[in-house]
Amino acid sequence: MRYLNLKDGQSVPLLGQGTWHMGERQDQRVREVTALREGLELGMSLIDTAEMYAEGGAERVVGEAIGGRREQVFLVSKAYPWHAGRDSLPKACEDSLRRLGTDYLDLYLLHWRGEYPLAETLEAFERLREQGKIRRWGVSNFDLDDLQELDAPDCAANQVLYNPEARGIEFDLLPWQRRQGLPLMAYCPVGQGSRLLEHPALLEVARRQDATPAQVALAWVLRGDGVIAIPKAVDPLHLKQNAAAADLRLSAEDMATLDQAFPAPTRKRPLAMI
Ligand SMILES: NC(=O)c1ccc[n+]([C@@H]2O[C@H](COP(=O)([O-])OP(=O)(O)OC[C@H]3O[C@@H](n4cnc5c(N)ncnc54)[C@H](OP(=O)(O)O)[C@@H]3O)[C@@H](O)[C@H]2O)c1
């Protein structure tokens, strides 16, 4: 596994585990818990979840998976924007902690920007940090103008959509975050496992590298500094492939193939979101 250091020096793996759609079906629970534990064994010790996923169901699955191994995990959860107020954020955090069976989060994110003034949300995050309920806080789905308005050196990460089909952030957001030393967490890094993985360019590079298209997508997302990818996988083979993608290095020829199929942005694009 490869790692990066957050601004406060905390080391985190470049590959973590997403949990969207976990906790939706009781008959999948054992598979999901087993997958998260397997992912931890493989070094993907950052787990990303949210109160939104299965309305708390994903956090319960994560809670079961990390039981007895909390200290091995860098645990990330997210609050709904309508829970980002001075009274609602502490309650949302308590509810997440209870479902996760822990007394602290390593990182607590605002899932996307809503109606609460940013200053109020920041104050609420800071209070949770002082109380030891969260170690650090960050944001998600923030574009450059949002981050500039936030103007908060203590923000630990911004989580946004990033994969070869969604490169808009390379125009301004990603370079700005790199200059600020603000890590970017890439969600949907394998395009939700759908048609991106059937694209001829990914298939061509995968053949050349003796890898899978998903591994190529992950290696591509992780090719520069300051980016963490959080693929979600329940299939044990997917988990193994994803963990191994940290060691895959794309060649100049691979990059040229992918650049031709998925051109880099030449102008500002609205932030892509799912
Ligand atoms: N902040 C936000 O607004 C936001 C939005 C979306 C997502 N997220 C976070 O980011 C995480 C990742 O995004 P995502 O789950 O939407 O999409 P994703 O990770 O790009 O794709 C997940 C899908 O890809 C499949 N997959 C995983 N590894 C694979 C591999 N090696 N080969 C082939 N297929 C593979 C999975 O199948 P199996 O499960 O069957 O293995 C699953 O169906 C989420 O789970 C969530 O934690 C955050």
Side-chain angles (χ1 to χ4, degrees):
M1 187 49 62
R2 284 153 58 208
Y3 297 85
L4 68 68
N5 284 339
L6 301 180
K7 282 180 189 167
D8 59 11
Q10 171 72 44
S11 171
V12 289
L14 295 192
L15 276 161
Q17 304 185 70
T19 63
W20 195 15
H21 299 306
M22 289 190 184
E24 290 177 356
R25 287 176 44 186
Q26 190 56 34
D27 64 349
Q28 292 300 306
R29 190 175 178 108
V30 172
R31 269 189 89 217
E32 291 165 356
V33 168
T34 307
L36 288 168
R37 288 185 180 157
E38 175 65 14
L40 292 180
E41 295 297 316
L42 290 164
M44 296 186 289
S45 56
L46 182 155
I47 297 181
D48 176 81
T49 190
E51 62 171 332
M52 183 186 107
Y53 303 158
E55 289 300 331
E59 289 181 326
R60 287 192 196 92
V61 170
V62 173
E64 189 176 336
I66 66 174
R69 56 196 91 186
R70 172 68 184 93
E71 297 310 317
Q72 288 175 31
V73 182
F74 186 92
L75 186 56
V76 185
S77 194
K78 313 183 203 78
Y80 276 126
W82 47 90
H83 288 164
R86 104 174 22 90
D87 299 322
S88 47
L89 196 67
K91 173 161 189 325
C93 184
E94 281 302 336
D95 290 344
S96 286
L97 292 174
R98 196 188 57 252
R99 289 187 291 261
L100 288 160
T102 183
D103 52 9
Y104 71 98
L105 295 173
D106 293 284
L107 178 61
Y108 198 26
L109 304 178
L110 173 60
H111 208 147
W112 65 92
R113 196 171 172 180
E115 301 295 317
Y116 281 105
L118 290 176
E120 180 173 340
T121 304
L122 247 72
E123 215 183 288
F125 272 140
E126 285 300 338
R127 191 151 312 131
L128 287 169
R129 188 159 68 156
E130 281 159 22
Q131 292 166 348
K133 303 215 162 142
I134 65 173
R135 296 268 159 96
R136 49 193 78 69
W137 61 267
V139 293
S140 176
N141 297 302
F142 268 43
D143 204 346
L144 180 55
D145 54 347
D146 299 310
L147 286 179
Q148 284 172 331
E149 187 183 331
L150 185 72
D151 188 26
D154 285 344
C155 175
N158 181 27
Q159 183 178 119
V160 295
L161 176 65
Y162 187 43
N163 65 44
E165 278 179 330
R167 295 185 69 169
I169 61 165
E170 290 176 25
F171 184 74
D172 54 356
L173 180 67
L174 181 54
W176 187 87
Q177 287 199 211
R178 285 196 171 120
R179 285 197 300 278
Q180 303 288 320
L182 175 61
L184 184 134
M185 294 176 72
Y187 73 69
C188 304
V190 300
Q192 300 198 293
S194 64
R195 68 195 155 80
L196 170 67
L197 303 184
E198 289 157 21
H199 193 286
L202 278 186
L203 291 170
E204 181 188 328
V205 175
R207 256 193 313 274
R208 215 154 43 219
Q209 288 281 0
D210 194 18
T212 71
Q215 288 178 313
V216 173
L218 291 172
W220 181 92
V221 165
L222 298 178
R223 72 199 184 287
D225 291 340
V227 179
I228 297 161
I230 48 168
K232 173 258 177 187
V234 175
D235 183 320
L237 184 60
H238 291 165
L239 284 161
K240 284 199 185 70
Q241 291 171 353
N242 294 352
D247 299 321
L248 176 61
R249 302 301 175 120
L250 300 178
S251 68
E253 187 188 8
D254 297 335
M255 287 306 303
T257 305
L258 295 169
D259 277 338
Q260 199 179 3
F262 309 102
T266 53
R267 61 182 168 80
K268 173 74 186 159
R269 303 254 175 85
L271 185 67
M273 277 177 72
I274 284 189

